[in-house]
């Protein structure tokens, strides 16, 4: 789990005034696999009582497949995908499942299950949650 005070560089995926799902920037030099497509992204969730963050590393063919899957879900407004750390530093995840009429269910765990500190969450969002995600993942 990452502890930060800076929320200046966050990209908000969802904020309904009660719950907030966001991405925070990780310096590009943290991509440690040369000559492969890769990106390191921090994800966070907070509500009035709880806040949690985790860092996921996406790389190689799995990263390219994930980008294509997210683009297809965004285009069709149907389907689901899982964001997770492909480097396996954590077993945290975020599942996004598009249901009907552009609505989506988001569930996840930030922080490793083997750590004494992790945060499980779920929230209902709409398709706008995909816009910033697609931009950050360079699609």
């Amino acid at each position: 789990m990452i502890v930060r005070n800076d929320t200046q560089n966050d990209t908000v995926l969802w904020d309904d005034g009660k719950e907030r799902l966001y991405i925070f920037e990780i310096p590009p030099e943290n991509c440690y696999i040369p000559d492969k497509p890769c990106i390191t992204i921090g994800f966070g969730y907070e509500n009035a009582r709880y806040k949690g963050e985790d860092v996921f590393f996406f790389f190689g063919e799995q990263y390219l497949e994930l980008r294509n899957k997210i683009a297809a879900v965004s285009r069709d407004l149907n389907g689901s995908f899982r964001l997770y750390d492909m480097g396996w530093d954590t077993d945290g995840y975020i599942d996004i499942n598009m249901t009907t009429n552009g609505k989506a269910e988001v569930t996840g765990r930030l922080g490793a299950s083997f750590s004494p500190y992790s945060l499980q969450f779920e929230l209902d969002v709409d398709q706008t949650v995909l816009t910033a995600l697609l931009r950050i993942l360079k699609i």
Side-chain angles (χ1 to χ4, degrees):
M1 181 106 30
I2 305 297
V3 177
R4 295 181 317 121
N5 291 324
D6 177 19
T7 59
Q8 303 267 333
N9 294 323
D10 294 347
T11 299
V12 176
L13 294 175
W14 181 259
D15 188 344
D16 65 1
K18 296 178 182 176
E19 297 175 291
R20 183 172 177 256
L21 182 64
Y22 57 94
I23 295 172
F24 58 93
E25 189 175 333
I26 303 293
E29 58 270 14
N30 286 339
C31 191
Y32 51 87
I33 298 191
D35 303 322
K36 290 201 180 225
C38 64
I39 189 169
T40 305
I41 301 174
F43 289 92
Y45 167 85
E46 65 182 74
N47 62 28
R49 299 183 68 178
Y50 301 101
K51 179 177 181 176
E53 294 181 337
D54 207 342
V55 175
F56 297 169
F57 178 62
F58 305 107
F59 67 95
E61 290 300 315
Q62 291 172 301
Y63 172 46
L64 298 176
E65 289 171 16
L66 175 64
R67 292 187 332 183
N68 291 338
K69 179 68 174 176
I70 296 169
V73 169
S74 179
R75 181 188 62 242
D76 301 338
L77 294 179
N78 187 27
S80 61
F81 57 90
R82 174 172 275 199
L83 303 169
Y84 65 96
D85 180 34
M86 295 174 181
W88 296 107
D89 293 327
T90 178
D91 59 352
Y93 64 90
I94 299 173
D95 288 332
I96 299 179
N97 179 31
M98 294 298 297
T99 56
T100 58
N101 301 324
K103 302 294 182 196
E105 297 168 345
V106 179
T107 58
R109 181 181 61 239
L110 300 177
S113 63
F114 50 83
S115 167
Y117 305 104
S118 66
L119 174 71
Q120 288 187 281
F121 67 94
E122 60 182 60
L123 66 153
D124 294 321
V125 301
D126 63 30
Q127 76 270 14
T128 60
V129 76
L130 300 176
T131 305
L133 183 59
L134 292 169
R135 186 176 67 250
I136 294 292
L137 290 176
K138 314 271 191 252
I139 297 175

